[in-house]
Amino acid sequence: MMSNHQTCTSNINLSVLIRITKIRVWKIDSHEEDNNKFSLLATLPTLSDRALKLLNPKNQVKIRRHKKCTWVHHVDAVSALALSSDDSLLYSVSWDRTLKIWRTTDFKCLESVGNAHDDAINALALSNDGDVYTGSADKTIKVWRKNSGETKHSLVSTLDKHKSGVNALALSMDGSVFVLCGSADKTVRIWRGVDRCYSCLAVLEGHNGPVKCLTAGSDGYNPSDATSMYFIFSGSLDCDIKVWQIFVPLF
């Protein structure tokens, strides 16, 4: 099955409301027989994280002409969240064009990639090997990676074949077969990535509105023609959900 690691663990639910600039962490009490109980664990950035950053002027970033805040803050709507495969890290993106990484043990913000895109970031996906994919209203998908021994993520590739903003992303389990992306140009594009080189395999056309969400599942491998078959599900502002069947050659 495909995964974008945006499904939370069984006892933590992470939610964001449009135009809300904070992330709230909820604990689910699964011991209740009839109904799960939800309790608020934390709001990110936490008060302690903010207080520590305020002590050092170097942690201040300019967000408007006469206003500054610490780099741990999102200053516009948080648009997408994703958990690492081991649930140790939470990734968030925002219309403020930043990518942030949080540690889930104490909810501390470890890193912020400022101006990651030239416009609002709408989508986020993680591969099992740790690569981070961000999709933006600037019509691009960017791939970020933190190499061994490094403390910060760096840009390793930019996918820029879109005619409109990127709204949704989904990956294969290892991130090597393809990247799916839904766009405001009403299309779904399928990408293959090998050794940091990405090529667009196909463009799926048929929606009458911007594509806002995607997911996909594998239907197995066909040894006779060395292909894998996938089902792709796309949701659009045209109020339709479309199901696509594609065959991807394994070369």
Side-chain angles (χ1 to χ4, degrees):
M1 292 297 292
M2 311 294 287
S3 171
N4 59 7
H5 293 295
Q6 294 187 26
T7 301
C8 301
T9 57
S10 59
N11 63 344
I12 294 180
N13 180 44
L14 300 150
S15 65
V16 177
L17 298 178
I18 292 299
R19 301 297 297 177
I20 300 299
T21 61
K22 293 182 175 62
I23 300 167
R24 290 186 173 175
V25 184
W26 302 85
K27 182 178 181 180
I28 304 173
D29 187 353
S30 58
H31 298 294
E32 294 287 332
E33 292 185 1
D34 297 326
N35 298 299
N36 288 328
K37 290 184 64 177
F38 297 81
S39 57
L40 182 62
L41 275 184
T43 298
L44 311 185
T46 62
L47 180 61
S48 60
D49 204 6
R50 285 181 285 159
L52 288 172
K53 298 298 185 296
L54 281 171
L55 297 176
N56 189 342
K58 292 182 179 180
N59 291 319
Q60 300 287 320
V61 293
K62 186 175 182 180
I63 58 173
R64 284 191 289 274
R65 185 176 180 183
H66 298 296
K67 187 174 181 180
K68 292 183 177 181
C69 74
T70 61
W71 58 265
V72 298
H73 286 82
H74 278 303
V75 295
D76 208 333
V78 178
S79 52
L81 297 173
L83 282 169
S84 61
S85 57
D86 62 359
D87 295 335
S88 65
L89 297 173
L90 169 68
Y91 295 75
S92 62
V93 291
S94 167
W95 292 352
D96 66 10
R97 302 182 292 171
T98 67
L99 161 68
K100 297 186 188 298
I101 298 95
W102 314 77
R103 188 167 56 205
T104 57
T105 53
D106 58 3
F107 308 120
K108 179 181 179 181
C109 188
L110 302 178
E111 181 185 353
S112 179
V113 181
N115 294 317
H117 283 269
D118 295 330
D119 206 337
I121 306 177
N122 298 321
L124 172 66
L126 303 180
S127 65
N128 280 347
D129 60 8
D131 282 357
V132 183
Y133 296 78
T134 54
S136 169
D138 67 7
K139 307 178 186 178
T140 69
I141 299 168
K142 291 188 176 183
V143 187
W144 308 86
R145 182 175 299 160
K146 185 169 71 172
N147 294 315
S148 178
E150 296 181 351
T151 59
K152 303 293 183 182
H153 285 76
S154 57
L155 180 65
V156 296
S157 189
T158 300
L159 290 63
D160 56 3
K161 299 293 185 180
H162 297 276
K163 298 177 181 178
S164 299
V166 177
N167 296 326
L169 294 172
L171 304 179
S172 61
M173 289 298 289
D174 60 4
S176 64
V177 179
F178 56 80
V179 178
L180 299 174
C181 56
S183 172
D185 65 11
K186 308 176 187 178
T187 67
V188 176
R189 290 180 184 266
I190 303 169
W191 298 83
R192 180 191 293 273
V194 178
D195 295 330
R196 302 189 182 186
C197 294
Y198 293 84
S199 58
C200 184
L201 297 181
V203 180
L204 308 181
E205 298 177 314
H207 278 293
N208 294 314
V211 179
K212 298 294 290 184
C213 52
L214 287 171
T215 191
S218 173
D219 198 41
Y221 168 67
N222 186 349
S224 64
D225 57 4
T227 61
S228 288
M229 187 177 76
Y230 297 91
F231 287 105
I232 299 172
F233 304 84
S234 57
S236 166
L237 291 185
D238 63 11
C239 302
D240 286 340
I241 298 172
K242 293 189 181 293
V243 184
W244 313 81
Q245 185 181 43
I246 65 167
F247 297 87
V248 180
L250 300 181
F251 54 83

Short mmCIF file of all heavy atoms in Angstrom, two decimals, residues 175-234:
data_model
loop_
_atom_site.label_atom_id
_atom_site.label_comp_id
_atom_site.label_asym_id
_atom_site.label_seq_id
_atom_site.Cartn_x
_atom_site.Cartn_y
_atom_site.Cartn_z
N GLY A 175 9.48 5.62 -1.86
CA GLY A 175 9.70 6.87 -2.56
C GLY A 175 10.41 6.73 -3.88
O GLY A 175 10.71 7.72 -4.53
N SER A 176 10.69 5.50 -4.33
CA SER A 176 11.49 5.34 -5.53
C SER A 176 10.66 5.10 -6.79
O SER A 176 11.14 5.32 -7.89
CB SER A 176 12.46 4.17 -5.35
OG SER A 176 11.76 2.96 -5.20
N VAL A 177 9.43 4.59 -6.64
CA VAL A 177 8.62 4.28 -7.81
C VAL A 177 7.99 5.54 -8.38
O VAL A 177 8.19 5.90 -9.52
CB VAL A 177 7.54 3.23 -7.47
CG1 VAL A 177 6.69 2.93 -8.69
CG2 VAL A 177 8.21 1.96 -6.97
N PHE A 178 7.20 6.26 -7.59
CA PHE A 178 6.71 7.56 -8.07
C PHE A 178 6.21 8.41 -6.87
O PHE A 178 5.91 7.89 -5.79
CB PHE A 178 5.64 7.37 -9.16
CG PHE A 178 4.47 6.52 -8.76
CD1 PHE A 178 3.45 7.06 -8.01
CD2 PHE A 178 4.37 5.21 -9.17
CE1 PHE A 178 2.35 6.30 -7.66
CE2 PHE A 178 3.27 4.44 -8.83
CZ PHE A 178 2.26 4.97 -8.06
N VAL A 179 6.10 9.60 -7.33
CA VAL A 179 5.47 10.67 -6.54
C VAL A 179 4.22 11.05 -7.28
O VAL A 179 4.25 11.38 -8.43
CB VAL A 179 6.38 11.90 -6.44
CG1 VAL A 179 5.70 13.01 -5.67
CG2 VAL A 179 7.71 11.56 -5.85
N LEU A 180 3.12 11.02 -6.58
CA LEU A 180 1.85 11.50 -7.16
C LEU A 180 1.59 12.91 -6.68
O LEU A 180 1.78 13.22 -5.51
CB LEU A 180 0.68 10.62 -6.69
CG LEU A 180 0.70 9.15 -7.05
CD1 LEU A 180 -0.46 8.44 -6.37
CD2 LEU A 180 0.59 8.98 -8.56
N CYS A 181 1.12 13.74 -7.57
CA CYS A 181 0.77 15.09 -7.14
C CYS A 181 -0.49 15.57 -7.85
O CYS A 181 -0.69 15.33 -9.04
CB CYS A 181 1.93 16.05 -7.39
SG CYS A 181 2.48 16.10 -9.08
N GLY A 182 -1.34 16.24 -7.09
CA GLY A 182 -2.55 16.84 -7.63
C GLY A 182 -2.39 18.34 -7.68
O GLY A 182 -1.83 18.95 -6.78
N SER A 183 -2.90 18.94 -8.75
CA SER A 183 -2.62 20.35 -8.99
C SER A 183 -3.88 21.16 -9.23
O SER A 183 -4.95 20.62 -9.57
CB SER A 183 -1.70 20.47 -10.22
OG SER A 183 -1.53 21.82 -10.60
N ALA A 184 -3.74 22.47 -9.08
CA ALA A 184 -4.82 23.39 -9.41
C ALA A 184 -5.09 23.43 -10.90
O ALA A 184 -6.11 23.98 -11.33
CB ALA A 184 -4.47 24.80 -8.90
N ASP A 185 -4.20 22.85 -11.72
CA ASP A 185 -4.45 22.80 -13.16
C ASP A 185 -5.35 21.63 -13.56
O ASP A 185 -5.48 21.30 -14.73
CB ASP A 185 -3.13 22.75 -13.95
CG ASP A 185 -2.32 21.48 -13.70
OD1 ASP A 185 -2.86 20.54 -13.09
OD2 ASP A 185 -1.17 21.43 -14.13
N LYS A 186 -5.98 20.96 -12.53
CA LYS A 186 -6.97 19.90 -12.72
C LYS A 186 -6.36 18.55 -13.09
O LYS A 186 -7.08 17.64 -13.49
CB LYS A 186 -8.03 20.29 -13.76
CG LYS A 186 -8.68 21.65 -13.52
CD LYS A 186 -9.63 22.02 -14.65
CE LYS A 186 -10.14 23.44 -14.48
NZ LYS A 186 -11.04 23.83 -15.60
N THR A 187 -5.06 18.42 -12.97
CA THR A 187 -4.39 17.18 -13.37
C THR A 187 -3.76 16.46 -12.18
O THR A 187 -3.52 17.05 -11.12
CB THR A 187 -3.29 17.44 -14.41
OG1 THR A 187 -2.23 18.18 -13.78
CG2 THR A 187 -3.82 18.22 -15.61
N VAL A 188 -3.49 15.18 -12.40
CA VAL A 188 -2.64 14.39 -11.50
C VAL A 188 -1.41 13.99 -12.29
O VAL A 188 -1.52 13.44 -13.40
CB VAL A 188 -3.37 13.11 -11.01
CG1 VAL A 188 -2.43 12.27 -10.15
CG2 VAL A 188 -4.62 13.49 -10.23
N ARG A 189 -0.24 14.27 -11.76
CA ARG A 189 1.00 13.91 -12.43
C ARG A 189 1.70 12.79 -11.67
O ARG A 189 1.67 12.74 -10.45
CB ARG A 189 1.93 15.11 -12.57
CG ARG A 189 1.42 16.14 -13.57
CD ARG A 189 2.34 17.34 -13.70
NE ARG A 189 1.76 18.34 -14.59
CZ ARG A 189 2.02 18.43 -15.89
NH1 ARG A 189 2.88 17.59 -16.45
NH2 ARG A 189 1.43 19.35 -16.63
N ILE A 190 2.33 11.90 -12.44
CA ILE A 190 3.04 10.76 -11.87
C ILE A 190 4.52 10.93 -12.18
O ILE A 190 4.91 11.07 -13.34
CB ILE A 190 2.52 9.44 -12.47
CG1 ILE A 190 1.01 9.32 -12.24
CG2 ILE A 190 3.26 8.26 -11.87
CD1 ILE A 190 0.38 8.20 -13.00
N TRP A 191 5.33 10.90 -11.12
CA TRP A 191 6.77 11.11 -11.25
C TRP A 191 7.51 9.85 -10.83
O TRP A 191 7.10 9.14 -9.92
CB TRP A 191 7.22 12.26 -10.36
CG TRP A 191 6.63 13.59 -10.69
CD1 TRP A 191 5.41 14.08 -10.30
CD2 TRP A 191 7.23 14.63 -11.47
NE1 TRP A 191 5.23 15.34 -10.79
CE2 TRP A 191 6.32 15.71 -11.51
CE3 TRP A 191 8.45 14.74 -12.13
CZ2 TRP A 191 6.59 16.89 -12.18
CZ3 TRP A 191 8.73 15.92 -12.80
CH2 TRP A 191 7.81 16.98 -12.83
N ARG A 192 8.63 9.61 -11.48
CA ARG A 192 9.56 8.56 -11.05
C ARG A 192 10.85 9.22 -10.59
O ARG A 192 11.37 10.13 -11.25
CB ARG A 192 9.88 7.58 -12.18
CG ARG A 192 10.86 6.48 -11.76
CD ARG A 192 11.37 5.69 -12.95
NE ARG A 192 10.31 4.92 -13.57
CZ ARG A 192 9.95 3.69 -13.19
NH1 ARG A 192 10.56 3.12 -12.17
NH2 ARG A 192 8.99 3.05 -13.81
N GLY A 193 11.37 8.77 -9.43
CA GLY A 193 12.61 9.32 -8.93
C GLY A 193 13.66 8.26 -8.72
O GLY A 193 13.42 7.28 -8.01
N VAL A 194 14.81 8.44 -9.33
CA VAL A 194 15.94 7.51 -9.17
C VAL A 194 17.22 8.33 -9.02
O VAL A 194 17.54 9.15 -9.89
CB VAL A 194 16.08 6.56 -10.38
CG1 VAL A 194 17.28 5.65 -10.19
CG2 VAL A 194 14.80 5.76 -10.58
N ASP A 195 17.92 8.13 -7.89
CA ASP A 195 19.20 8.82 -7.66
C ASP A 195 19.08 10.33 -7.84
O ASP A 195 19.86 10.96 -8.56
CB ASP A 195 20.28 8.27 -8.58
CG ASP A 195 20.61 6.82 -8.30
OD1 ASP A 195 20.48 6.42 -7.13
OD2 ASP A 195 20.98 6.11 -9.25
N ARG A 196 18.05 10.89 -7.21
CA ARG A 196 17.83 12.33 -7.21
C ARG A 196 17.43 12.90 -8.57
O ARG A 196 17.38 14.11 -8.75
CB ARG A 196 19.06 13.09 -6.70
CG ARG A 196 19.49 12.69 -5.28
CD ARG A 196 20.55 13.63 -4.76
NE ARG A 196 21.00 13.22 -3.43
CZ ARG A 196 21.84 13.92 -2.68
NH1 ARG A 196 22.31 15.05 -3.13
NH2 ARG A 196 22.20 13.48 -1.50
N CYS A 197 17.16 12.04 -9.54
CA CYS A 197 16.70 12.49 -10.85
C CYS A 197 15.24 12.09 -11.00
O CYS A 197 14.89 10.92 -10.82
CB CYS A 197 17.53 11.87 -11.97
SG CYS A 197 19.26 12.40 -11.96
N TYR A 198 14.38 13.05 -11.35
CA TYR A 198 12.95 12.81 -11.42
C TYR A 198 12.45 13.10 -12.83
O TYR A 198 12.85 14.08 -13.46
CB TYR A 198 12.21 13.71 -10.42
CG TYR A 198 12.50 13.35 -8.99
CD1 TYR A 198 13.64 13.84 -8.34
CD2 TYR A 198 11.66 12.50 -8.28
CE1 TYR A 198 13.93 13.49 -7.03
CE2 TYR A 198 11.93 12.15 -6.96
CZ TYR A 198 13.07 12.65 -6.35
OH TYR A 198 13.35 12.29 -5.06
N SER A 199 11.57 12.23 -13.30
CA SER A 199 10.97 12.43 -14.61
C SER A 199 9.46 12.21 -14.50
O SER A 199 9.00 11.36 -13.73
CB SER A 199 11.56 11.46 -15.64
OG SER A 199 11.38 10.12 -15.23
N CYS A 200 8.70 12.98 -15.28
CA CYS A 200 7.25 12.87 -15.27
C CYS A 200 6.84 11.72 -16.19
O CYS A 200 7.08 11.76 -17.40
CB CYS A 200 6.62 14.18 -15.72
SG CYS A 200 4.82 14.19 -15.62
N LEU A 201 6.21 10.67 -15.62
CA LEU A 201 5.82 9.51 -16.40
C LEU A 201 4.50 9.71 -17.13
O LEU A 201 4.33 9.21 -18.24
CB LEU A 201 5.69 8.28 -15.48
CG LEU A 201 6.93 7.79 -14.76
CD1 LEU A 201 6.59 6.56 -13.93
CD2 LEU A 201 8.04 7.47 -15.75
N ALA A 202 3.56 10.41 -16.50
CA ALA A 202 2.23 10.54 -17.11
C ALA A 202 1.49 11.70 -16.47
O ALA A 202 1.78 12.12 -15.35
CB ALA A 202 1.44 9.26 -16.95
N VAL A 203 0.51 12.22 -17.23
CA VAL A 203 -0.40 13.25 -16.74
C VAL A 203 -1.81 12.71 -16.87
O VAL A 203 -2.24 12.35 -17.97
CB VAL A 203 -0.25 14.57 -17.52
CG1 VAL A 203 -1.21 15.61 -16.98
CG2 VAL A 203 1.19 15.08 -17.46
N LEU A 204 -2.54 12.62 -15.76
CA LEU A 204 -3.91 12.13 -15.76
C LEU A 204 -4.87 13.31 -15.81
O LEU A 204 -4.88 14.16 -14.91
CB LEU A 204 -4.17 11.29 -14.51
CG LEU A 204 -3.17 10.16 -14.22
CD1 LEU A 204 -3.57 9.40 -12.97
CD2 LEU A 204 -3.06 9.21 -15.41
N GLU A 205 -5.67 13.38 -16.86
CA GLU A 205 -6.61 14.48 -17.06
C GLU A 205 -8.03 13.95 -17.02
O GLU A 205 -8.30 12.85 -17.49
CB GLU A 205 -6.34 15.17 -18.39
CG GLU A 205 -4.95 15.80 -18.48
CD GLU A 205 -4.69 16.43 -19.84
OE1 GLU A 205 -4.99 15.75 -20.86
OE2 GLU A 205 -4.21 17.56 -19.89
N GLY A 206 -8.94 14.73 -16.46
CA GLY A 206 -10.33 14.29 -16.38
C GLY A 206 -11.15 15.04 -15.36
O GLY A 206 -12.38 15.06 -15.44
N HIS A 207 -10.49 15.67 -14.39
CA HIS A 207 -11.21 16.48 -13.43
C HIS A 207 -11.57 17.84 -14.04
O HIS A 207 -10.87 18.35 -14.92
CB HIS A 207 -10.37 16.69 -12.17
CG HIS A 207 -10.43 15.53 -11.21
ND1 HIS A 207 -11.58 15.18 -10.53
CD2 HIS A 207 -9.47 14.65 -10.82
CE1 HIS A 207 -11.33 14.14 -9.76
NE2 HIS A 207 -10.07 13.79 -9.91
N ASN A 208 -12.66 18.42 -13.53
CA ASN A 208 -13.09 19.74 -13.99
C ASN A 208 -12.81 20.82 -12.97
O ASN A 208 -13.31 21.95 -13.08
CB ASN A 208 -14.59 19.72 -14.31
CG ASN A 208 -14.90 18.83 -15.50
OD1 ASN A 208 -14.22 18.88 -16.52
ND2 ASN A 208 -15.93 17.99 -15.37
N GLY A 209 -12.02 20.49 -11.96
CA GLY A 209 -11.64 21.46 -10.94
C GLY A 209 -10.29 21.08 -10.35
O GLY A 209 -9.75 20.00 -10.63
N PRO A 210 -9.71 21.95 -9.54
CA PRO A 210 -8.42 21.65 -8.92
C PRO A 210 -8.46 20.35 -8.11
O PRO A 210 -9.43 20.07 -7.43
CB PRO A 210 -8.18 22.86 -8.00
CG PRO A 210 -8.98 23.96 -8.61
CD PRO A 210 -10.20 23.30 -9.19
N VAL A 211 -7.39 19.56 -8.22
CA VAL A 211 -7.27 18.32 -7.45
C VAL A 211 -6.73 18.66 -6.07
O VAL A 211 -5.67 19.27 -5.94
CB VAL A 211 -6.34 17.32 -8.16
CG1 VAL A 211 -6.20 16.04 -7.34
CG2 VAL A 211 -6.87 17.01 -9.56
N LYS A 212 -7.48 18.27 -5.03
CA LYS A 212 -7.14 18.68 -3.67
C LYS A 212 -6.61 17.56 -2.79
O LYS A 212 -5.97 17.83 -1.77
CB LYS A 212 -8.39 19.28 -2.99
CG LYS A 212 -8.91 20.53 -3.66
CD LYS A 212 -7.94 21.68 -3.57
CE LYS A 212 -7.82 22.22 -2.16
NZ LYS A 212 -6.94 23.41 -2.10
N CYS A 213 -6.86 16.28 -3.14
CA CYS A 213 -6.36 15.20 -2.30
C CYS A 213 -6.12 13.94 -3.13
O CYS A 213 -6.77 13.74 -4.16
CB CYS A 213 -7.32 14.91 -1.14
SG CYS A 213 -9.02 14.62 -1.63
N LEU A 214 -5.18 13.13 -2.65
CA LEU A 214 -4.76 11.93 -3.36
C LEU A 214 -4.43 10.81 -2.39
O LEU A 214 -3.95 11.05 -1.28
CB LEU A 214 -3.47 12.20 -4.17
CG LEU A 214 -3.54 13.04 -5.44
CD1 LEU A 214 -2.12 13.34 -5.90
CD2 LEU A 214 -4.29 12.29 -6.52
N THR A 215 -4.69 9.59 -2.82
CA THR A 215 -4.14 8.42 -2.16
C THR A 215 -4.06 7.30 -3.20
O THR A 215 -4.64 7.42 -4.28
CB THR A 215 -4.99 7.99 -0.95
OG1 THR A 215 -4.28 7.01 -0.18
CG2 THR A 215 -6.34 7.43 -1.38
N ALA A 216 -3.32 6.25 -2.89
CA ALA A 216 -3.14 5.20 -3.88
C ALA A 216 -2.82 3.89 -3.19
O ALA A 216 -2.40 3.84 -2.04
CB ALA A 216 -2.02 5.56 -4.85
N GLY A 217 -3.04 2.80 -3.91
CA GLY A 217 -2.73 1.47 -3.40
C GLY A 217 -2.18 0.59 -4.49
O GLY A 217 -2.53 0.74 -5.67
N SER A 218 -1.30 -0.34 -4.12
CA SER A 218 -0.71 -1.26 -5.08
C SER A 218 -1.60 -2.49 -5.24
O SER A 218 -2.18 -2.97 -4.28
CB SER A 218 0.67 -1.68 -4.61
OG SER A 218 1.19 -2.70 -5.43
N ASP A 219 -1.69 -3.00 -6.47
CA ASP A 219 -2.45 -4.21 -6.73
C ASP A 219 -1.54 -5.34 -7.19
O ASP A 219 -1.97 -6.27 -7.86
CB ASP A 219 -3.54 -3.94 -7.77
CG ASP A 219 -4.61 -5.02 -7.75
OD1 ASP A 219 -5.00 -5.44 -6.65
OD2 ASP A 219 -5.04 -5.44 -8.84
N GLY A 220 -0.25 -5.19 -6.88
CA GLY A 220 0.67 -6.30 -7.13
C GLY A 220 1.56 -6.13 -8.33
O GLY A 220 1.49 -5.15 -9.08
N TYR A 221 2.41 -7.13 -8.51
CA TYR A 221 3.44 -7.15 -9.56
C TYR A 221 3.09 -8.20 -10.60
O TYR A 221 2.70 -9.32 -10.28
CB TYR A 221 4.80 -7.44 -8.93
CG TYR A 221 5.90 -7.77 -9.90
CD1 TYR A 221 6.39 -6.81 -10.78
CD2 TYR A 221 6.44 -9.06 -9.93
CE1 TYR A 221 7.41 -7.12 -11.68
CE2 TYR A 221 7.47 -9.37 -10.83
CZ TYR A 221 7.94 -8.40 -11.69
OH TYR A 221 8.94 -8.71 -12.57
N ASN A 222 3.22 -7.82 -11.87
CA ASN A 222 2.96 -8.74 -12.97
C ASN A 222 4.29 -9.16 -13.58
O ASN A 222 4.91 -8.40 -14.32
CB ASN A 222 2.08 -8.07 -14.02
CG ASN A 222 1.66 -9.02 -15.12
OD1 ASN A 222 2.17 -10.14 -15.22
ND2 ASN A 222 0.72 -8.59 -15.95
N PRO A 223 4.76 -10.38 -13.30
CA PRO A 223 6.08 -10.79 -13.79
C PRO A 223 6.14 -10.97 -15.30
O PRO A 223 7.22 -10.92 -15.89
CB PRO A 223 6.33 -12.12 -13.07
CG PRO A 223 4.97 -12.63 -12.73
CD PRO A 223 4.12 -11.42 -12.48
N SER A 224 5.00 -11.18 -15.95
CA SER A 224 5.01 -11.42 -17.40
C SER A 224 5.48 -10.22 -18.20
O SER A 224 6.14 -10.35 -19.22
CB SER A 224 3.61 -11.84 -17.88
OG SER A 224 2.68 -10.79 -17.68
N ASP A 225 5.14 -9.02 -17.73
CA ASP A 225 5.61 -7.82 -18.44
C ASP A 225 6.39 -6.88 -17.54
O ASP A 225 6.64 -5.72 -17.90
CB ASP A 225 4.43 -7.08 -19.08
CG ASP A 225 3.37 -6.68 -18.05
OD1 ASP A 225 3.59 -6.93 -16.84
OD2 ASP A 225 2.35 -6.12 -18.46
N ALA A 226 6.80 -7.37 -16.36
CA ALA A 226 7.64 -6.60 -15.42
C ALA A 226 7.04 -5.24 -15.10
O ALA A 226 7.70 -4.20 -15.20
CB ALA A 226 9.06 -6.44 -15.98
N THR A 227 5.77 -5.24 -14.75
CA THR A 227 5.11 -4.00 -14.36
C THR A 227 4.42 -4.18 -13.01
O THR A 227 4.09 -5.29 -12.61
CB THR A 227 4.05 -3.56 -15.39
OG1 THR A 227 3.04 -4.58 -15.48
CG2 THR A 227 4.67 -3.30 -16.74
N SER A 228 4.21 -3.06 -12.33
CA SER A 228 3.40 -3.04 -11.12
C SER A 228 2.13 -2.26 -11.41
O SER A 228 2.17 -1.24 -12.12
CB SER A 228 4.15 -2.38 -9.96
OG SER A 228 5.19 -3.22 -9.50
N MET A 229 0.99 -2.72 -10.87
CA MET A 229 -0.28 -2.05 -11.09
C MET A 229 -0.69 -1.30 -9.83
O MET A 229 -0.54 -1.81 -8.72
CB MET A 229 -1.36 -3.04 -11.48
CG MET A 229 -2.67 -2.37 -11.88
SD MET A 229 -3.92 -3.55 -12.42
CE MET A 229 -4.43 -4.20 -10.84
N TYR A 230 -1.18 -0.09 -10.02
CA TYR A 230 -1.61 0.75 -8.90
C TYR A 230 -3.00 1.31 -9.19
O TYR A 230 -3.36 1.56 -10.34
CB TYR A 230 -0.64 1.92 -8.68
CG TYR A 230 0.75 1.50 -8.29
CD1 TYR A 230 1.73 1.29 -9.25
CD2 TYR A 230 1.10 1.33 -6.95
CE1 TYR A 230 3.01 0.90 -8.90
CE2 TYR A 230 2.38 0.95 -6.59
CZ TYR A 230 3.33 0.75 -7.56
OH TYR A 230 4.59 0.37 -7.21
N PHE A 231 -3.76 1.51 -8.12
CA PHE A 231 -4.99 2.29 -8.19
C PHE A 231 -4.73 3.64 -7.55
O PHE A 231 -4.16 3.72 -6.46
CB PHE A 231 -6.13 1.58 -7.46
CG PHE A 231 -6.67 0.38 -8.18
CD1 PHE A 231 -6.36 -0.90 -7.75
CD2 PHE A 231 -7.48 0.53 -9.30
CE1 PHE A 231 -6.85 -2.01 -8.41
CE2 PHE A 231 -7.98 -0.57 -9.97
CZ PHE A 231 -7.66 -1.85 -9.53
N ILE A 232 -5.14 4.69 -8.22
CA ILE A 232 -4.98 6.05 -7.72
C ILE A 232 -6.37 6.65 -7.51
O ILE A 232 -7.23 6.56 -8.39
CB ILE A 232 -4.17 6.92 -8.69
CG1 ILE A 232 -2.76 6.35 -8.86
CG2 ILE A 232 -4.10 8.37 -8.20
CD1 ILE A 232 -1.96 7.02 -9.95
N PHE A 233 -6.58 7.25 -6.35
CA PHE A 233 -7.85 7.89 -6.03
C PHE A 233 -7.60 9.39 -5.89
O PHE A 233 -6.75 9.81 -5.10
CB PHE A 233 -8.41 7.34 -4.72
CG PHE A 233 -8.58 5.84 -4.72
CD1 PHE A 233 -7.51 5.01 -4.41
CD2 PHE A 233 -9.80 5.27 -5.03
CE1 PHE A 233 -7.66 3.63 -4.41
CE2 PHE A 233 -9.96 3.89 -5.03
CZ PHE A 233 -8.88 3.07 -4.72
N SER A 234 -8.32 10.20 -6.64
CA SER A 234 -8.13 11.65 -6.61
C SER A 234 -9.45 12.34 -6.32
O SER A 234 -10.49 11.99 -6.86
CB SER A 234 -7.57 12.14 -7.95
OG SER A 234 -8.41 11.77 -9.03
#
